């Protein structure tokens, strides 16, 4: 049995427009959105650490996301290849029309550019998600930035947004705010 692998491309080279799925920002500070690769795990970990109130997972978890779930995740880099944005998620096995967004992070250098929305839409418009018509995520009640992002997405996609408590403080060990399940959809991803 022979294994085939994709050719190795250094992270800095991945910041080129010819490799990126999308180029956002402006001419002076372009940002490049693409699928993650194994070299991105540590950079994603460092990015999430710099974005409270996000829960920080292990570097290993981000490495797994960058490899095993790369089709449903995205990173954004600047021209130097520094990771300034990240979105992770997966298509639910028990609901193949639903994408569960796990985390979205935008570093300080890229805030105010609309990058969070662009990251989500970059993933949602991939061919691998052609049959997805709902987006789910969880948000703590006090995370205004996340609530704002998902309300804007629902409005932009002309889709209803519903929420309910999903995990209680007790279920999360008593030291974490409850998490509300937020669901957007149905929407037409070919119109995003």
């Amino acid at each position: 049995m022979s294994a085939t692998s994709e050719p190795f491309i250094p992270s800095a080279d991945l910041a080129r427009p010819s490799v990126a799925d999308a180029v956002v920002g402006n001419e002076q500070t372009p940002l490049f959105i693409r699928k993650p690769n194994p070299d991105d795990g540590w950079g994603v970990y460092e990015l999430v650490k710099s974005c409270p109130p996000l829960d920080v997972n292990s570097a290993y978890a981000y490495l797994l996301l960058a490899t095993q779930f790369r089709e449903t995740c995205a990173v954004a880099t600047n021209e130097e290849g520094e990771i300034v944005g990240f979105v992770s998620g997966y298509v639910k096995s028990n609901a193949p029309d639903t994408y569960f967004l796990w985390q979205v992070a935008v570093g300080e250098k890229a805030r105010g550019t609309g990058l969070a929305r662009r990251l989500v839409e970059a993933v949602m418009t991939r061919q691998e998600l052609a049959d997805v018509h709902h987006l789910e995520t969880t948000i703590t009640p006090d995370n205004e930035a996340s609530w704002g992002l998902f309300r804007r997405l629902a409005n932009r996609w002309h889709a209803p947004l519903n929420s309910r408590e999903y995990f209680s403080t007790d279920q999360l060990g008593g030291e974490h705010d409850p998490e509300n399940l937020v669901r957007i959809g149905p929407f037409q991803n070919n119109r995003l």
Side-chain angles (χ1 to χ4, degrees):
M1 175 184 208
S2 65
T4 59
S5 63
E6 295 179 21
F8 176 77
I9 302 172
S11 290
D13 291 346
L14 288 165
R16 292 176 302 145
S18 61
V19 178
D21 294 334
V23 180
V24 299
N26 58 50
E27 194 173 301
Q28 291 77 28
T29 56
L31 301 173
F32 307 95
I33 298 174
R34 61 172 170 77
K35 293 178 182 177
N37 69 56
D39 285 345
D40 296 325
W42 186 257
V44 169
Y45 172 74
E46 290 294 321
L47 172 69
V48 174
K49 277 186 4 184
S50 73
C51 295
L54 290 179
D55 291 327
V56 180
N57 299 287
S58 70
Y60 180 73
Y62 294 113
L63 187 57
L64 285 175
L65 288 167
T67 56
Q68 302 297 314
F69 294 90
R70 73 184 304 262
E71 303 299 322
T72 57
C73 297
V75 294
T77 62
N78 59 20
E79 287 185 297
E80 292 78 40
E82 176 186 6
I83 295 173
V84 295
F86 171 68
V87 65
S88 62
Y90 54 90
V91 176
K92 294 175 67 170
S93 60
N94 62 344
D97 70 337
T98 302
Y99 175 79
F100 185 87
L101 189 149
W102 184 3
Q103 281 187 315
V104 60
V106 174
E108 189 173 328
K109 293 179 182 178
R111 290 188 185 139
T113 64
L115 181 59
R117 175 188 61 81
R118 296 296 301 265
L119 281 162
V120 173
E121 289 181 347
V123 170
M124 297 303 297
T125 56
R126 288 182 182 158
Q127 185 59 39
E128 296 89 350
L129 278 75
D131 295 329
V132 168
H133 301 287
H134 295 88
L135 180 145
E136 290 182 350
T137 193
T138 62
I139 308 174
T140 57
D142 63 346
N143 187 337
E144 290 302 320
S146 289
W147 282 107
L149 169 63
F150 290 98
R151 285 183 185 117
R152 286 190 301 275
L153 288 172
N155 287 336
R156 182 176 166 86
W157 299 350
H158 305 287
L161 180 148
N162 295 291
S163 70
R164 63 176 173 84
E165 186 174 288
Y166 193 59
F167 295 126
S168 70
T169 297
D170 288 342
Q171 289 172 313
L172 292 163
E175 297 183 14
H176 190 291
D177 289 337
E179 292 275 352
N180 289 335
L181 179 68
V182 177
R183 182 173 172 89
I184 300 173
F187 53 81
Q188 297 300 316
N189 62 5
N190 61 350
R191 294 184 183 170
L192 304 184

